[in-house]
Amino acid sequence: MAAAGSSHSIVEYFGGESGYHCGYCKNETGNLSHGMWAHSMTVQDYQDLIDRGWRRSGKYVYKPIMNQTCCPQYTIRCQALHFQTSKSHKKVLKKMLKFISQGDVVKVASEEEPMDSHIEDAVACDFAYKSESRVSQSELTPLNVDHTERVENEDKDTGEIKEEVNAQQVESGSLQICADKGAPAPGEPSQSAKIVHAPPKPGKGADLSKPPCRKAKDIRKERKLQKLQNQMCTLEGSQHQAGDQVLLLQNSKSKSNQPKTMEDFIFASLPDDARHKLEFTRFLCDSPLEAENAPNGPECGYGSFHQQYWLDGKIIAVGVIDILPYCVSSVYLYYDPDYSFLSLGVYSALREIAFTRQLHEKAPDLCFYYMGFYIHSCPKMRYKGQYRPSDLLCPETYVWTPIEQCLPLLEHSKYCRFNQDMKAVDEGRIKELGRVKVLHKRTMMPYSVYKKRRKGPSDEASVQQYASLVGQSCSERMLLFRS
């Protein structure tokens, strides 16, 4: 036995048999969860707790009773290293860049971000997202977002459409295609494609002295074949030179055709005459999580951080994240409603995923982005499933399951066991109740010792419930306060 130090988590367990108001379905008594108050908590303990379905709101840590609560809340995480931005995500990033550089964004809130319009119950906690940058103060900057690629594609499409129209006119006999650019017809000099109007023929019917009309399909095939033969001849004449040119062309095309990454949008460069300036600051905030530093950890350390968004010197949003050993966990975001047209919920989530990737470079184990709870029974809370690839936590075995496998199950039942191996059990379950650590009279001791000293009615049922919910590892590290 020893005196309790600051390196231990200290919690008070409250149970959770009575129901309370649900912020999702508005049921007055249907929201059921277990809860405990965290006087202090290490980042490793909290990491292990959220991997067992717990979530914090300030210093209150709670775990929904999944098979009883009206709206089951499944822990969701995004695989940040493999995250791919969707079209709607890129739309938000482009909108922010356009606003900063030009200041001419239509000020209409996006319909695709329920996280900005739906405020969850305070106890249910994670009502929105927030954001972060890799440096304490950095400017967002614009990018020519796929403009060149878009124009090229439009030109190609236009060319194909014109070719089809001309081909149809050829079939009707009103036009004749003599040559294509770069592919001269037999007996004709190389020249740009030219369209010749054929003179009307006297009499009725086809002119039998002329060859029969050819199908446009056959004409196109012939042109392509002729063009390929010309290219082969050129390659044979100057093999090395042509090979180098082809290689450069392929490399150029491959680079220009690569889709823009999230970082390309977020960390692009602004022009000198940008209309706005967006900055970020990050600093530790009050939280039950104890700030920690580790040799292989992120430079900013572990713990809870405030994120502030400053637009032209005015703060427009503030959020909180928890930086933990294996993840960045989003807690909440609040913002100036005058700037809701910037879709700050979506934008900050994307910045946070990018921040997770940056932290991973220094802390290799940190590679996930936790988005709180996914609530399939509440349509407004399904947006979190749009950040792919992502996983949901099985509420019985606490193993991660790809969300694509979970959604069909949730369509049939709001409560589901995602692990389809019926023999699988909770590997972290409590095995020895006597080894649970407790704090009694400022002294920590195993529950087996405390139990012998305790006077009054037994509290074994409550301790058993607590230990089964936090798991064997946490129960042996955290100190359960006993009066």
Side-chain angles (χ1 to χ4, degrees):
M1 295 181 292
S6 60
S7 60
H8 289 85
S9 300
I10 302 175
V11 299
E12 286 186 75
Y13 179 65
F14 296 142
E17 285 71 26
S18 58
Y20 53 91
H21 175 77
C22 175
Y24 306 108
C25 69
K26 310 306 178 184
N27 189 313
E28 290 300 325
T29 59
N31 197 343
L32 299 171
S33 67
H34 301 286
M36 56 188 180
W37 188 262
H39 294 276
S40 66
M41 182 164 289
T42 66
V43 292
Q44 183 62 61
D45 284 342
Y46 186 53
Q47 175 74 70
D48 291 347
L49 286 176
I50 62 176
D51 285 338
R52 293 184 64 84
W54 291 82
R55 186 79 176 164
R56 80 175 184 89
S57 175
K59 293 188 175 183
Y60 182 73
V61 189
Y62 64 101
K63 184 182 189 304
I65 304 177
M66 298 292 284
N67 59 351
Q68 298 180 31
T69 189
C70 55
C71 297
Q73 304 165 52
Y74 298 90
T75 302
I76 183 172
R77 72 178 186 184
C78 173
Q79 299 178 28
L81 304 187
H82 306 290
F83 173 74
Q84 297 291 330
T85 49
S86 66
K87 290 183 179 180
S88 61
H89 293 152
K90 288 184 178 180
K91 183 178 179 181
V92 171
L93 293 173
K94 292 176 183 179
K95 179 171 59 176
M96 176 64 81
L97 290 175
K98 185 177 181 181
F99 173 73
I100 295 171
S101 60
Q102 303 176 20
D104 58 352
V105 173
V106 178
K107 296 184 178 181
V108 178
S110 171
E111 296 179 357
E112 299 176 354
E113 55 169 334
M115 67 285 282
D116 276 355
S117 60
H118 177 67
I119 305 301
E120 300 181 40
D121 183 77
V123 177
C125 150
D126 90 296
F127 61 82
Y129 278 149
K130 42 149 312 323
S131 167
E132 174 42 42
S133 171
R134 61 179 168 185
V135 293
S136 58
Q137 288 188 341
S138 63
E139 298 180 7
L140 279 183
T141 54
L143 183 67
N144 294 328
V145 282
D146 293 335
H147 177 70
T148 302
E149 296 176 11
R150 181 178 60 82
V151 173
E152 290 177 353
N153 290 336
E154 287 177 354
D155 289 343
K156 292 176 181 178
D157 291 342
T158 303
E160 291 173 359
I161 293 172
K162 286 182 178 179
E163 183 181 38
E164 290 297 328
V165 171
N166 291 341
Q168 292 174 5
Q169 291 173 328
V170 167
E171 289 180 346
S172 67
S174 62
L175 295 177
Q176 288 181 334
I177 299 180
C178 297
D180 187 21
K181 184 176 182 180
E188 290 283 338
S190 177
Q191 57 182 334
S192 298
K194 56 183 179 181
I195 301 175
V196 180
H197 288 272
K201 299 185 184 302
K204 299 181 180 180
D207 188 349
L208 299 178
S209 64
K210 301 291 184 180
C213 294
R214 300 164 59 198
K215 292 185 178 180
K217 181 178 179 181
D218 295 333
I219 296 175
R220 290 197 298 269
K221 285 183 178 180
E222 182 178 316
R223 290 205 309 264
K224 290 180 181 178
L225 179 60
Q226 184 64 45
K227 191 173 183 179
L228 181 61
Q229 290 175 346
N230 292 340
Q231 291 175 346
M232 293 299 294
C233 292
T234 304
L235 287 174
E236 291 175 0
S238 54
Q239 183 176 2
H240 295 291
Q241 181 179 359
D244 292 340
Q245 291 176 347
V246 170
L247 182 60
L248 289 173
L249 181 61
Q250 289 176 343
N251 290 338
S252 176
K253 286 185 177 181
S254 63
K255 290 181 180 179
S256 64
N257 291 335
Q258 286 180 352
K260 297 293 188 296
T261 66
M262 179 172 52
E263 286 80 2
D264 289 333
F265 292 101
I266 293 176
F267 303 119
S269 299
L270 273 174
D272 294 335
D273 59 348
R275 297 288 300 273
H276 299 289
K277 183 178 182 181
L278 184 64
E279 299 176 301
F280 298 88
T281 60
R282 178 181 68 247
F283 53 90
L284 285 166
C285 62
D286 184 31
S287 162
L289 299 185
E290 297 181 357
E292 297 180 18
N293 289 285
N296 296 324
E299 293 182 1
C300 60
Y302 299 105
S304 299
F305 294 84
H306 266 148
Q307 314 292 334
Q308 293 185 346
Y309 293 68
W310 293 84
L311 181 66
D312 302 330
K314 174 186 177 181
I315 191 167
I316 63 171
V318 178
V320 169
I321 58 169
D322 293 332
I323 301 179
L324 305 175
Y326 310 130
C327 74
V328 168
S329 176
S330 176
V331 182
Y332 64 84
L333 170 79
Y334 53 95
Y335 59 91
D336 187 336
D338 289 343
Y339 295 91
S340 60
F341 66 91
L342 290 174
S343 305
L344 291 175
V346 175
Y347 178 76
S348 59
L350 297 174
R351 285 198 64 96
E352 201 122 286
I353 294 173
F355 181 52
T356 304
R357 291 177 173 179
Q358 294 166 358
L359 295 180
H360 170 75
E361 296 177 2
K362 184 68 170 60
D365 291 338
L366 203 163
C367 53
F368 296 103
Y369 178 59
Y370 283 49
M371 298 176 282
F373 289 131
Y374 174 82
I375 308 167
H376 193 77
S377 58
C378 179
K380 287 186 177 181
M381 297 305 296
R382 295 182 183 181
Y383 69 89
K384 296 181 182 181
Q386 299 171 4
Y387 294 79
R388 304 286 182 93
S390 57
D391 309 303
L392 298 184
L393 187 68
C394 176
E396 296 182 7
T397 61
Y398 303 111
V399 297
W400 294 100
T401 307
I403 193 170
E404 293 85 357
Q405 299 178 23
C406 303
L407 295 181
L409 301 174
L410 292 172
E411 286 295 324
H412 290 86
S413 174
K414 63 181 181 180
Y415 172 74
C416 296
R417 171 193 168 109
F418 299 137
N419 191 335
Q420 296 303 293
D421 180 2
M422 294 298 106
K423 295 182 179 179
V425 296
D426 171 17
E427 296 295 337
R429 65 190 183 282
I430 183 70
K431 300 179 181 67
E432 297 183 46
L433 188 62
R435 297 176 61 177
V436 173
K437 286 281 188 2
V438 300
L439 178 64
H440 178 60
K441 294 183 178 180
R442 304 187 66 179
T443 302
M444 62 180 183
M445 63 188 72
Y447 180 69
S448 58
V449 174
Y450 165 76
K451 184 179 178 180
K452 294 178 181 178
R453 296 184 179 184
R454 177 180 173 81
K455 297 179 181 179
S458 173
D459 63 349
E460 184 170 335
S462 176
V463 175
Q464 176 71 49
Q465 186 181 68
Y466 155 81
S468 65
L469 294 171
V470 303
Q472 186 74 41
S473 297
C474 279
S475 70
E476 293 182 17
R477 293 196 308 258
M478 299 194 305
L479 302 180
L480 177 62
F481 177 79
R482 312 310 286 169
S483 57

